[in-house]
Amino acid sequence: MTLPTLIGNYKSKEVSARLKKFYSTMQQAILYAEADFGEMKNWEVDNNGEVSNVERAEKYYHTYFDNNYFKIISAKRRKITGQNREALALTFTDGSVLYLWNGTCVDLIFDTNGDKKPNLDGRDIFKFLHCKNGKLRAYDIQAGKANTRAKALDNCKRYSTDCTPLLMDYDNFEFKNDYPYRL
């Protein structure tokens, strides 16, 4: 194997492990928050999705992350990588950053390596939604929900913002050989 191939394989495994850890921790955080505040369907959210409400995101999520799995080293208002809107940015000890933006649903934008490049969807940025039904799901806004792996792969190829469903729903957060973006 060549050095670039070895490095690529290592990066894929590292990002995969971070995504699995994030998803598991996020599900636990939601359970703890629901134990304290009731079901998510009763939480306060913005109806129009126009205004970032950092305080609400902090109330429902922040305290539930600072645990043995994710230690928070910074929690502050910050612009979301590649966007003009502000969110609550939780920076973890491993260098990853979670942006929480509370609109109609809560957008969870997970940057597996923080401010390090490439800062691109489908490569080191992966998006999730937590909506009124209480379930954490993959962000699939551009192309819509895929009902097969082939459709999820096609959606990912067309819209890098929609790669999380492929990884989460079909590939167990593993980067298969046909994944369209190099890590």
Side-chain angles (χ1 to χ4, degrees), residues 22 26 30 40 43-46 49 51-54 56-62 65 80 85 87-88 98-109 127-139 141:
F22 165 75
M26 188 65 224
I30 289 169
M40 197 273 188
W43 295 1
E44 302 170 72
V45 295
D46 295 332
V51 179
S52 172
N53 193 317
V54 174
R56 281 192 222 140
E58 189 166 23
K59 173 182 176 180
Y60 293 120
Y61 298 96
H62 177 201
F65 275 105
I80 299 170
R85 60 183 168 163
L88 173 65
L98 170 62
Y99 297 95
L100 294 159
W101 187 80
N102 192 3
T104 305
C105 291
V106 177
D107 292 17
L108 299 115
I109 301 164
K127 298 178 178 178
F128 301 84
L129 292 172
H130 186 207
C131 296
K132 287 276 191 179
N133 67 6
K135 295 186 181 188
L136 180 63
R137 67 180 181 90
Y139 182 96
I141 299 302

Side-chain angles (χ1 to χ4, degrees), residues 57-135:
E58 189 166 23
K59 173 182 176 180
Y60 293 120
Y61 298 96
H62 177 201
T63 58
Y64 301 99
F65 275 105
D66 208 6
N67 57 41
N68 293 330
Y69 300 104
F70 273 110
K71 287 287 186 192
I72 297 169
I73 59 172
S74 169
K76 60 185 175 184
R77 289 175 184 256
R78 182 173 155 184
K79 285 198 187 244
I80 299 170
T81 303
Q83 298 184 20
N84 285 325
R85 60 183 168 163
E86 189 177 76
L88 173 65
L90 302 178
T91 303
F92 303 110
T93 54
D94 67 359
S96 61
V97 176
L98 170 62
Y99 297 95
L100 294 159
W101 187 80
N102 192 3
T104 305
C105 291
V106 177
D107 292 17
L108 299 115
I109 301 164
F110 186 60
D111 188 337
T112 61
N113 64 354
D115 293 329
K116 293 179 187 173
K117 292 188 187 270
N119 287 326
L120 296 170
D121 290 315
R123 290 163 183 87
D124 62 340
I125 296 176
F126 301 91
K127 298 178 178 178
F128 301 84
L129 292 172
H130 186 207
C131 296
K132 287 276 191 179
N133 67 6
K135 295 186 181 188

